[in-house]
């Protein structure tokens, strides 16, 4: 998982770029980087860690930069390396290019092998390098043509921001898997993964990129190049379920209201008698509020969150996830002792986190723990930018609902029905739900 930002401004850009990146820190917590341009050359600064850690002591003697892109990244297991930090830089045909990417190419392995057979060597483990390499290869003075040629070769999910010394170029794949937004006012033009990075700069006018759209931002203005072929929209539904901030408005869907309504629907689908409704914070909180209001069962914070811990789902290893959960969430004995609890979460992926939370709630004195999940069973791996494990490690792919209930130790377990969840979305056919159904819009290793 990643987040991207690009800014062109009339003012000093450095702080603006850091504010925007910090606003989407939830999309990636392992590393971050920026590329700044003064109109003539690119300057890259990067490091392992959070935005405020990496750039804490960064000072620019002369901040005359007006163009910049940035990236936050959470790495798959084994890939949390300095050489994988984005944005990446390339030099070709007397031109500098910088690129940051959110998504995942489903045909990366095949393309990489083909290029290696031609004698090309790679310096990172990221598919972002492959995109940048193709852009540089196809560039003959027209960046739009180079991007279109690249888009005809690569498959899967890619929301990209590119900088050249004098311009920003951003583009989104033909399905629009991962989000990408454009916002502007009289002083700034911003491209970002979510609207929070735009609104932090007091910009209220923003819109989603259309699938297949390329936008160029330079001294002459903002220029849009729509897709030249028929598109099939397949936005990631898991953005609204979990990934995006609660205040995100992705494809005209507000994440908070969607999650809250999922909680309401789930109670009507699977009612339960209990003393308290408790969320697994933070992504489970809006759904728990909806569940509590629909049921009339009091809402309570049965789990106290350590606000200085990041998201546990995107930790690269199981050991790190287990430790992060323990550090991040602590049962509140004074709230749950002797009570029958409904614990509401957004998803169950591997099942280990849910089991540990239920175990700790019982240790804190909970009499019953009923588990409610506001997404359908996660049964298939994602090839489009969500770091989910192989199918053999997805609990719902290998166990029935009753077997999952026993394994995680819940008194009852219910998932929201897929159709009920999709009915809460406008244009529900425009969403990718392959993680629930196995119906992949783009097959892995498809050329």
């Amino acid at each position: 998982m990643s987040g991207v930002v690009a800014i062109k401004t009339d003012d000093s850009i450095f702080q603006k770029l850091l504010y925007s990146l910090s606003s989407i820190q939830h999309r990636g917590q392992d590393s971050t980087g920026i590329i700044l341009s003064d109109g003539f050359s690119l300057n890259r600064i990067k490091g392992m860690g959070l935005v405020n850690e990496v750039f804490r002591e960064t000072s620019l003697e002369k901040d005359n930069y007006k163009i910049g892109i940035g990236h936050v990244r959470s790495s798959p297991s084994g890939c949390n390396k300095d050489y994988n930090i984005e944005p990446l830089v390339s030099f070709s045909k007397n031109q500098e290019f910088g690129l940051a990417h959110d998504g995942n190419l489903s045909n990366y392995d095949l393309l990489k092998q083909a290029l290696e057979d031609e004698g090309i060597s790679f310096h990172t483990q990221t598919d972002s390098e492959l995109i940048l390499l193709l852009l540089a290869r196809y560039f003959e003075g027209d960046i739009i043509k180079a991007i279109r040629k690249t888009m005809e070769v690569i498959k899967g999910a890619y929301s990209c921001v590119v900088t050249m010394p004098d311009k920003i170029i951003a583009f989104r794949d033909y399905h629009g898997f991962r989000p990408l937004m454009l916002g502007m006012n009289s002083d700034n033009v911003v491209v970002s993964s979510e609207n929070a990075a735009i609104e932090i700069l007091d910009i209220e006018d923003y819109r989603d990129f259309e699938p297949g759209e390329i936008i160029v931002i330079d001294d002459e203005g903002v220029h849009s190049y729509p897709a030249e072929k028929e598109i099939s929209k397949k936005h990631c539904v898991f953005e609204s379920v979990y990934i995006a901030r609660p205040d995100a408005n992705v494809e005209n869907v507000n994440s908070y209201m969607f999650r809250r309504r999922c909680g309401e629907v789930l109670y009507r689908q699977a009612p339960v008698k209990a003393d308290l409704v408790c969320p697994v914070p933070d992504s489970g909180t809006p759904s728990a509020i909806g569940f509590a209001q629909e049921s009339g069962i009091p809402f309570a914070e049965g789990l106290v969150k350590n606000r200085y811990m990041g998201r546990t789902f995107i930790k690269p290893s199981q050991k790190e996830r287990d430790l992060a959960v323990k550090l991040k969430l602590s049962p509140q004995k004074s709230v749950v002792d002797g009570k029958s609890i409904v614990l509401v979460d957004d998803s169950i992926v591997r099942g280990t986190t849910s089991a540990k939370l239920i175990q700790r709630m019982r240790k804190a004195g909970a009499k019953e723990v009923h588990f409610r999940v506001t997404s359908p069973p996660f049964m298939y791996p994602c090839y489009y930018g969500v770091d989910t494990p192989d199918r053999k490690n997805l609990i719902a792919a290998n166990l029935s609902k009753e077997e999952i209930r026993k394994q995680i130790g819940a008194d009852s377990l219910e998932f929201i029905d897929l159709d009920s969840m999709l009915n809460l979305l406008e244009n529900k056919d425009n969403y990718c739900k392959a993680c629930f159904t196995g119906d992949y819009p783009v097959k892995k290793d498809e050329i």
Side-chain angles (χ1 to χ4, degrees):
M1 284 166 49
S2 300
V4 299
V5 170
I7 300 176
K8 186 177 187 302
T9 181
D10 295 332
D11 304 318
S12 174
I13 197 174
F14 181 63
Q15 288 298 329
K16 291 183 178 182
L17 202 51
L18 297 194
Y19 293 152
S20 289
L21 278 178
S22 295
S23 299
I24 56 169
Q25 185 75 83
H26 59 285
R27 299 187 71 89
Q29 299 164 10
D30 289 339
S31 65
T32 185
I34 61 173
I35 293 178
L36 303 170
S37 173
D38 59 3
F40 302 98
S41 62
L42 304 183
N43 177 23
R44 180 168 65 151
I45 311 168
K46 64 185 180 70
M48 306 293 292
L50 304 175
V51 173
N52 64 352
E53 297 169 341
V54 171
F55 299 105
R56 179 181 293 132
E57 298 180 3
T58 301
S59 62
L60 301 175
E61 291 184 8
K62 52 167 191 168
D63 186 3
N64 59 343
Y65 301 109
K66 305 299 182 184
I67 288 175
I69 65 173
H71 189 263
V72 291
R73 181 174 192 261
S74 282
S75 309
S77 180
C79 297
N80 193 15
K81 310 288 186 181
D82 180 78
Y83 52 72
N84 289 326
I85 299 174
E86 298 182 41
L88 303 177
V89 179
S90 179
F91 306 88
S92 177
K93 300 161 188 164
N94 297 316
Q95 185 61 260
E96 287 181 287
F97 305 87
L99 177 140
H101 162 225
D102 176 28
N104 192 60
L105 301 185
S106 54
N107 64 343
Y108 167 69
D109 292 334
L110 291 177
L111 292 176
K112 181 172 181 286
Q113 183 63 56
L115 290 168
E116 287 176 333
D117 290 344
E118 294 178 16
I120 303 295
S121 61
F122 286 78
H123 305 286
T124 75
Q125 297 167 298
T126 73
D127 50 359
S128 305
E129 182 182 12
L130 190 147
I131 299 174
L132 186 56
L133 188 154
L134 292 174
L135 285 179
R137 168 182 277 197
Y138 294 139
F139 181 72
E140 299 289 349
D142 188 331
I143 189 62
I144 300 299
K145 287 183 178 179
I147 290 173
R148 284 291 179 215
K149 285 185 178 181
T150 300
M151 293 174 71
E152 291 303 316
V153 175
I154 59 178
K155 306 295 181 184
Y158 49 90
S159 288
C160 299
V161 292
V162 174
T163 184
M164 298 167 72
D166 62 339
K167 62 175 68 72
I168 290 168
I169 312 97
F171 57 99
R172 191 181 186 195
D173 66 76
Y174 288 111
H175 292 287
F177 285 111
R178 306 251 70 82
L180 197 63
M181 297 182 177
L182 171 72
M184 65 184 78
N185 60 14
S186 59
D187 300 319
N188 310 285
V189 182
V190 183
V191 175
S192 73
S193 296
E194 293 183 30
N195 49 286
I198 298 173
E199 292 174 338
I200 194 69
L201 301 181
D202 294 325
I203 299 173
E204 297 181 0
D205 183 17
Y206 58 85
R207 68 168 177 87
D208 295 294
F209 273 59
E210 287 297 315
E213 184 179 16
I214 303 171
I215 290 181
V216 177
I217 303 162
D218 57 21
D219 288 338
E220 297 179 1
V222 178
H223 319 276
S224 171
Y225 300 84
E228 298 173 332
K229 67 178 187 179
E230 185 178 351
I231 61 173
S232 173
K233 295 182 179 181
K234 291 296 174 184
H235 313 309
C236 174
V237 73
F238 204 59
E239 287 279 349
S240 296
V241 170
Y242 169 79
I243 300 173
R245 269 179 41 158
D247 58 344
N249 297 310
V250 179
E251 302 299 334
N252 297 317
V253 176
N254 177 264
S255 297
Y256 176 88
M257 294 306 299
F258 173 77
R259 293 167 190 171
R260 178 174 159 177
R261 292 173 67 197
C262 282
E264 296 171 357
V265 168
L266 186 53
Y267 174 75
R268 294 196 294 269
Q269 176 191 316
V272 62
K273 291 184 178 180
D275 300 313
L276 299 172
V277 175
C278 301
V280 178
D282 281 320
S283 51
T285 301
S287 297
I289 291 172
F291 193 99
Q293 291 180 335
E294 185 69 17
S295 66
I297 302 171
F299 174 90
E301 292 189 4
L303 289 165
V304 176
K305 182 180 178 181
N306 178 351
R307 299 293 170 185
Y308 298 95
M309 286 296 299
R311 301 182 99 168
T312 55
F313 175 82
I314 52 181
K315 296 295 180 184
S317 71
Q318 187 60 51
K319 185 176 181 180
E320 287 178 285
R321 284 189 292 271
D322 291 345
L323 179 58
V325 169
K326 193 170 183 179
L327 290 170
K328 174 183 172 182
L329 298 172
S330 299
Q332 199 161 197
K333 183 177 176 64
S334 61
V335 173
V336 305
D337 191 16
K339 300 291 196 304
S340 176
I341 305 298
V342 180
L343 203 56
V344 180
D345 203 357
D346 59 84
S347 59
I348 297 179
V349 180
R350 300 164 186 87
T352 52
T353 297
S354 305
K356 290 182 183 300
L357 284 177
I358 292 170
Q359 184 181 42
R360 295 179 70 201
M361 292 291 272
R362 292 195 188 281
K363 192 174 180 180
K367 183 173 60 177
E368 294 178 344
V369 181
H370 301 275
F371 211 77
R372 294 294 182 268
V373 185
T374 50
S375 65
F378 212 117
M379 299 183 67
Y380 298 88
C382 176
Y383 302 135
Y384 312 126
V386 181
D387 183 26
T388 51
D390 292 335
R391 195 157 189 245
K392 64 182 180 182
N393 294 320
L394 293 171
I395 191 170
N398 299 283
L399 301 178
S400 67
K401 184 175 70 174
E402 177 59 18
E403 289 170 332
I404 297 172
R405 182 196 68 77
K406 290 179 180 178
Q407 182 152 317
I408 66 175
D411 289 281
S412 69
L413 169 66
E414 294 290 345
F415 298 86
I416 196 171
D417 177 73
L418 176 61
D419 288 335
S420 297
M421 183 187 77
L422 293 176
N423 286 336
L424 300 176
L425 298 166
E426 292 184 21
N427 304 313
K428 62 182 180 180
D429 292 336
N430 290 349
Y431 285 84
C432 174
K433 40 210 178 279
C435 54
F436 306 130
T437 66
D439 182 15
Y440 294 100
V442 180
K443 301 271 192 300
K444 184 171 173 57
D445 297 328
E446 179 179 278
I447 293 293

